[in-house]
Amino acid sequence: MEVHRCRFVEYQPAAINTLDFTPSTVKNSQLAVGRANGNIEIWDPNHKYRLVKTLPGGEDLSVESVVWAHQNVVANPDPEDDPEDLVREREILLAQPPRLFSSGLNPYIMEWDTTTMTVKKSCDTNGGAVWCLAVNSKGTRLAAGCEDGRVRLFDIADGNLEYIRSFEPQKGRVLSVAWAPDDEYIVSGGSDSAIRTWNPHTGRTIQRMTVSKKRKEQTLVWAVAALKNNTIVSGDSLGAVTFWDNSMGIARQTFRAHGADVLCLAASKDGNLLFSAGVDRKINCFRRTMKKKSGDSVKDWISVGNRRYHWHDIRALALDERPKVNSIVSGGVDVELVACPAVEFPKLIQNRLPPFPHRYIVSMSKSQQLIMATFFNSISLWRLGKAANIDLSSKQAALPEMVEPHQLALELKLKPECNITSSALSEDANWVAVADIDNVRLFRVNQGSEPGKLEVKKQRAFGRELNSYLESHHAAPGGHHVLFTPGSDKLIIINPESRILIVDLTKWEEGSFEVLREFGHHRGLDSEGSSSEDQAVATVVSLTVSSDGQWLATADDVNRIHVFNLDNLKHHLQLPQGSVPHTALSFNDFRPNELLVALATNAFYIYDVEHKRLTNWSSIHQDMSKSRLLEQRDRIRGVMYNPADKDKMILYGSGYMCLVDIEDKPVAKKLGKRKNSSIDVAKPEEKNTDSDMPSISISYQYQQILYGGFIGENQMVMVERPKFSVLENLPPSFYKAHFGAS
C-alpha cells in the first residue's frame, strides 16, 4: 500500500493553565480546561474522558482561572414561603445547568454560555489582571484575586454577576484564593510571602501568616486550599507544602516535597486527601492519618507517594472523588492532560489524553490531492508529493524515492483576533470556507502566478448575503461548523444557535449565494419551525455528508442525531437516542446510505438511513462487549474507506488504526424448538463462540494521528503530529542535578 505519511502540519496546542470539575451537586460531572490561547475545553470524564466541545478564545486572552458555579440554596427566600415551596425552589435550582466563569490577563470576569459557546456576561473588576477565582460552596458568591493586591467579591446568585465589595489592599498581586468549606472565611496567597484569611462580610483581615523566605527575596504563595477542621494548606515558590492551623495562625507541618515552585493544590471534600504539583513535574499525594504521640492519638499528614507523568511544569490540578469519576487530573506547559485514579494514587496506570481537537485541523481534496491544515488564525494548503514506483514483489523492504516532495501551495492568514472554529476545503479544491465566532468567510481558490502556487479571492457578496439573511431572521452571526457537499455545490453552515443553513454555490459567478433552507431541529424546532416535544437547545458537535451528496447527518451534545435529505431539503429522520454519547459520524463512501455512529465506549453501529433501520451486519454484531476495540484508551476520531476493498473500513483514534470487515455474510439460521437426532449437540465449552463478534485487527504503527483518508486504491494519507515535535517547541523544563553532579 502507498502511504503519504505527512508531518508537515505543525499544529502546536496551547499550554494548560487551569482546570476545574463541576461541583458535586451537578448530576453529570464535567471538566473545564483553560488554555493559554484563550480556549476553554469541556471534557466528559465518563468513558475514559471525551472532549465534548471547545469554547473559542482570542489572541492575548490567556485563561488564568476557570471555575464552575452551581447554586444549591435559595438566595433570597420569601418570608411567606412555606418549607414545601422552598424545597421546590431548591429542586428547580439544582436542575439548572452549572455556570462557567473565567478570568485572564485583563480586568474582566466572563461568564460563558456553554451551548452557544460565546460570552454570556462580563464584569469589569477595575483591578488589573484577574489571576484567580473561587466560588463558595453555595454557588452564590465569587471571589477574585487581582493584580492590584485586592480580593474582590461578586454576587452570582440567581443568574447575576454583580460587584459587592473590595477587601483591604495588600502589597503585590493576589495569586491564589479559596473559600472555607463552610464559607465562613476566604483565604488568599500573594506575592508578599503572606497568607491571609478574610471575613467575606466585611472585607477585613482575620489572620495573617508568613511563609519562609530567602534573604531580600519575597516568596510567592502560588496556591492555597482551605480544609475542614480549620486547616489551611499553602504551596509556595520554595517548593514547600505547609499545613496551617488557622485558629492559631501557626504552621503545623511543612513538607519540602518539591524541588521548585508548587503551582497548584487539590483537596478532597472531606479534607483527608491532598495533591500538590509544580515546576519539578512531580505530583505528590498526602493523606491525613491517626498517629500516636505521647499516648494520645493525633491526626497528622503523611506523604503517600509521588509520580512524574509530565515532561514540563504542571500548572493545574483538579480532583473529582465521586466513585463514578475518581480522578485527579493534571495539566501544564506540555499541553497534555493526564488523568489518574485518585483514591488509589499512585498505584494505578495513568490515562494520557490526546491534546489535539477531534475535528477540523485537517481536511482533504481527494481529486486534487490537496491537504488543508487549520491553525489558530491561519490556514495552509499543501500539495501531496509523488514517489517513484517500487518493486512490490521484492522481499526486502525499501522506501520509495521521492520524485516530487510535498509542496506548500497556499498560506492564508486572517486578522489576529480571528480564532478559527471550523474550516473546510471543497472536493474540487475551488472553495475554502473559514468560520469564527463572528463571521463565516468564503474564498475562491485559483491558480497562482507561480507554478504550483494557489491564490484566493474573498467572496464579499457571500458575506453580505449571509449577514442579510441572519439579520432578517434575528439569528446570530458566525459559525461553529462549515462543510461542503462532495459535489462542491452547497455549503453547510451551523451557527452558534445551532441553526443549520444550506447555502447554494452554483450561482457564484452572478454574485448570488442563496440560503436554500434552514433547519432548527437542534434548537427544539420541528420541520415547520414550530416548537417540538423535545425543546432542549443543544450544541451541534458532529456533522457529515454522504459521498453522493444526498444525506446530511448532524449530532449534538445531548446525543440527538438527525438526518436530512439534501435533494429535497427535508428532515428525514432522527436516530434512536442512546444513553452512550457518540464521538464520530461517517457515511460509507461506497454505500452512501449507511451511517456509522461511533460511541464513547468505542463500540459502533451502522444505520441504513434510507430504510430507517440498522444494517444486517450491525444487527448481527450488536454486542461488542468482548471486542478489543473497547479496550483502547483513545476514542474513535474518524473512519477511512479503501476503494480497493469496499467491504472493509478503517477506524482510527489518536494512537491506533482498526481494520473492520463489514462484509454482509450469510448467517446460519438458528434451529427452533424441534430437536433432530441427526444434529450434533455442541459440548458446553463450545457453546460460547465469537461468531457474533466483528472481525477486526488493530495496528499501533502511527501515533498522534490528526487525520486519515484514501485518495485512491491502496493510496492512504496519514497526517501525524508526533509528541516529540510538540515538545521540542517548548521552553527548557526544570532540571536539578543529583548525587552531587555539577
Side-chain angles (χ1 to χ4, degrees), residues 317-434:
L317 289 173
L319 174 64
D320 192 328
E321 57 197 303
R322 284 177 279 186
K324 190 177 179 182
V325 180
N326 182 29
S327 285
I328 176 71
V329 182
S330 56
V333 178
D334 67 355
V335 310
E336 197 172 43
L337 279 174
V338 177
C340 316
V343 177
E344 298 84 0
F345 186 90
K347 294 179 181 177
L348 298 184
I349 299 173
Q350 76 280 7
N351 183 13
R352 296 183 179 275
L353 307 177
F356 305 104
H358 286 191
R359 303 169 186 87
Y360 308 128
I361 295 179
V362 176
S363 53
M364 181 172 71
S365 167
K366 299 176 185 178
S367 58
Q368 304 300 315
Q369 298 197 2
L370 286 171
I371 295 282
M372 187 174 80
T374 305
F375 305 98
F376 185 80
N377 66 340
S378 65
I379 60 171
S380 58
L381 261 73
W382 291 77
R383 201 180 301 278
L384 291 174
K386 294 181 181 178
N389 294 326
I390 58 172
D391 184 8
L392 297 175
S393 61
S394 174
K395 294 182 179 180
Q396 293 183 341
L399 286 174
E401 182 183 349
M402 288 293 291
V403 178
E404 293 181 20
H406 301 313
Q407 181 189 8
L408 178 64
L410 171 69
E411 193 161 17
L412 177 63
K413 200 167 182 69
L414 304 180
K415 294 179 181 178
E417 63 269 16
C418 297
N419 185 349
I420 297 174
T421 55
S422 175
S423 64
L425 173 68
S426 65
E427 174 55 34
D428 61 8
N430 287 330
W431 297 106
V432 168
V434 182

Side-chain angles (χ1 to χ4, degrees), residues 319-610:
L319 174 64
D320 192 328
E321 57 197 303
R322 284 177 279 186
K324 190 177 179 182
V325 180
N326 182 29
S327 285
I328 176 71
V329 182
S330 56
V333 178
D334 67 355
V335 310
E336 197 172 43
L337 279 174
V338 177
C340 316
V343 177
E344 298 84 0
F345 186 90
K347 294 179 181 177
L348 298 184
I349 299 173
Q350 76 280 7
N351 183 13
R352 296 183 179 275
L353 307 177
F356 305 104
H358 286 191
R359 303 169 186 87
Y360 308 128
I361 295 179
V362 176
S363 53
M364 181 172 71
S365 167
K366 299 176 185 178
S367 58
Q368 304 300 315
Q369 298 197 2
L370 286 171
I371 295 282
M372 187 174 80
T374 305
F375 305 98
F376 185 80
N377 66 340
S378 65
I379 60 171
S380 58
L381 261 73
W382 291 77
R383 201 180 301 278
L384 291 174
K386 294 181 181 178
N389 294 326
I390 58 172
D391 184 8
L392 297 175
S393 61
S394 174
K395 294 182 179 180
Q396 293 183 341
L399 286 174
E401 182 183 349
M402 288 293 291
V403 178
E404 293 181 20
H406 301 313
Q407 181 189 8
L408 178 64
L410 171 69
E411 193 161 17
L412 177 63
K413 200 167 182 69
L414 304 180
K415 294 179 181 178
E417 63 269 16
C418 297
N419 185 349
I420 297 174
T421 55
S422 175
S423 64
L425 173 68
S426 65
E427 174 55 34
D428 61 8
N430 287 330
W431 297 106
V432 168
V434 182
D436 62 21
I437 212 68
D438 297 316
N439 286 294
V440 178
R441 301 168 179 84
L442 182 66
F443 299 92
R444 181 74 179 176
V445 182
N446 303 305
Q447 290 297 323
S449 53
E450 298 179 30
K453 294 290 183 179
L454 299 173
E455 295 176 350
V456 294
K457 184 178 181 181
K458 186 176 180 181
Q459 302 297 301
R460 301 190 184 279
F462 168 82
R464 287 193 299 269
E465 199 158 339
L466 179 63
N467 289 332
S468 174
Y469 176 88
L470 294 173
E471 286 176 14
S472 63
H473 288 75
H474 307 288
H480 286 167
H481 308 275
V482 287
L483 184 66
F484 292 99
T485 55
S488 307
D489 57 343
K490 295 184 183 76
L491 173 64
I492 298 147
I493 302 170
I494 300 179
N495 84 333
E497 297 171 330
S498 296
R499 297 172 186 257
I500 303 171
L501 307 178
I502 314 297
V503 182
D504 181 23
L505 303 179
T506 56
K507 300 177 182 177
W508 70 273
E509 290 177 303
E510 303 168 15
S512 174
F513 297 92
E514 182 188 355
V515 178
L516 299 174
R517 187 75 161 84
E518 176 185 326
F519 297 108
H521 292 75
H522 294 283
R523 304 177 62 231
L525 305 177
D526 58 19
S527 298
E528 282 73 39
S530 306
S531 296
S532 62
E533 294 179 5
D534 186 4
Q535 295 184 14
V537 180
T539 311
V540 177
V541 293
S542 305
L543 76 161
T544 184
V545 179
S546 61
S547 57
D548 60 357
Q550 181 180 4
W551 306 109
L552 165 68
T554 59
D556 57 33
D557 57 353
V558 296
N559 218 28
R560 293 178 302 192
I561 302 174
H562 290 279
V563 178
F564 305 92
N565 189 323
L566 295 180
D567 288 346
N568 59 22
L569 298 174
K570 290 183 179 179
H571 179 263
H572 183 64
L573 69 94
Q574 178 179 353
L575 269 64
Q577 191 169 350
S579 58
V580 181
H582 79 284
T583 57
L585 300 177
S586 175
F587 280 103
N588 192 311
D589 285 352
F590 315 111
R591 306 169 190 167
N593 59 320
E594 292 187 5
L595 173 66
L596 178 137
V597 180
L599 304 177
T601 57
N602 270 5
F604 63 89
Y605 63 89
I606 304 173
Y607 201 86
D608 186 335
V609 297
E610 189 169 354

Side-chain angles (χ1 to χ4, degrees), residues 269-304:
K269 204 171 182 181
D270 61 7
N272 293 326
L273 185 65
L274 180 91
F275 293 90
S276 65
V279 172
D280 65 352
R281 317 189 325 271
K282 187 164 62 175
I283 302 174
N284 269 298
C285 180
F286 303 91
R287 285 188 190 275
R288 203 175 184 208
T289 57
M290 295 293 290
K291 281 188 176 181
K292 285 194 174 182
K293 288 186 179 179
S294 305
D296 296 329
S297 294
V298 180
K299 282 195 172 183
D300 268 355
W301 290 87
I302 61 168
S303 177
V304 177

